[in-house]
Amino acid sequence: MEGIRELAAEVDARAVVLVEGASDRVALETLAARRGRDLDADGVRVVAMGGATNIGHFLDQLGPAGRGLRLAGLYDEAEEGFFRRGLERCGLGADLSRADLAALGFHVCVADLAALGFHVCVADLEEELIRAVGVAGVRAVLAAEGELRSFDLFQRQPAQRGRAVEAQLRRFLGTRSGRKSAYARLLVAALAPDRVPRSLDAVLAGV
């Protein structure tokens, strides 16, 4: 995986947050900015891996056997197995539960590094954000972006009839290239301070 090796070599940070895709990265960076936090100044880099199946390669390059950087991560529920197996293969535990993934510490392998935590989105980032912002809030964001009529038309498609509106919204956000990332930023910006998904909050708190 030459591209991963090159990316790992370019990372100039004290800590790295590994995420599956661009929308996850945008969500975390937007939330950090909302809180007045400059991740670059803090020495934190959010790296989109291009899918959960790449976790092992990134751990090899950036983890205890590679660069030895402090790591954290964010993953979708369906991809938990990839993260668990990758961490176990790196010698960071065995038969890891979800709680283990969130609490696992690098001190097991590299004594002077702080704890790392990998946190789950149930079922994925979009579902977390839709739940947190609420249907009315998401519709307001769509309206502000001039896409509410498109969504209303989308709801009338035969495949969408009878589905919960939350499921329709989640599917709609994935129907066009770049839409997930755009709405990751917009929905995080629309969150009430007390409605931030636990997974996003926990990742930023850990780095």
Side-chain angles (χ1 to χ4, degrees), residues 146-155 157 172 176 179:
E147 290 208 289
L148 186 56
R149 183 172 181 276
S150 294
F151 174 65
D152 289 340
L153 292 172
F154 176 80
Q155 286 183 293
Q157 294 179 4
F172 180 75
R176 192 179 68 203
R179 185 178 267 157

Side-chain angles (χ1 to χ4, degrees), residues 97-112:
S97 67
R98 183 171 297 176
D100 293 331
L101 291 174
L104 183 62
F106 264 171
H107 61 275
V108 173
C109 297
V110 184
D112 62 344

Side-chain angles (χ1 to χ4, degrees), residues 65-142:
R67 297 278 303 282
L69 299 178
R70 180 180 176 182
L71 298 178
L74 184 71
Y75 61 91
D76 293 347
E77 185 176 38
E79 315 302 342
E80 189 168 73
F82 292 111
F83 278 70
R84 181 184 295 112
R85 289 189 292 274
L87 291 165
E88 290 175 350
R89 186 174 62 79
C90 284
L92 296 172
D95 298 322
L96 298 173
S97 67
R98 183 171 297 176
D100 293 331
L101 291 174
L104 183 62
F106 264 171
H107 61 275
V108 173
C109 297
V110 184
D112 62 344
L113 290 181
L116 107 136
F118 284 81
H119 299 275
V120 64
C121 289
V122 181
D124 58 21
L125 175 68
E126 288 71 38
E127 184 170 83
E128 290 261 21
L129 291 176
I130 290 166
R131 185 188 312 119
V133 175
V135 169
V138 178
R139 287 182 61 86
V141 171
L142 289 172

Side-chain angles (χ1 to χ4, degrees), residues 3-80:
I4 292 175
R5 285 195 293 271
E6 291 175 353
L7 176 59
E10 294 172 358
V11 171
D12 180 19
R14 64 168 180 81
V16 174
V17 181
L18 298 174
V19 298
E20 294 184 44
S23 60
D24 306 287
R25 185 189 70 239
V26 168
L28 286 169
E29 291 175 344
T30 302
L31 180 59
R34 269 194 62 174
R35 292 175 170 177
R37 185 173 177 187
D38 185 335
L39 293 181
D40 287 338
D42 286 349
V44 178
R45 172 90 176 266
V46 183
V47 174
M49 300 183 295
T53 57
N54 289 323
I55 179 65
H57 301 295
F58 278 92
L59 289 172
D60 288 343
Q61 296 297 318
L62 298 172
R67 297 278 303 282
L69 299 178
R70 180 180 176 182
L71 298 178
L74 184 71
Y75 61 91
D76 293 347
E77 185 176 38
E79 315 302 342
E80 189 168 73

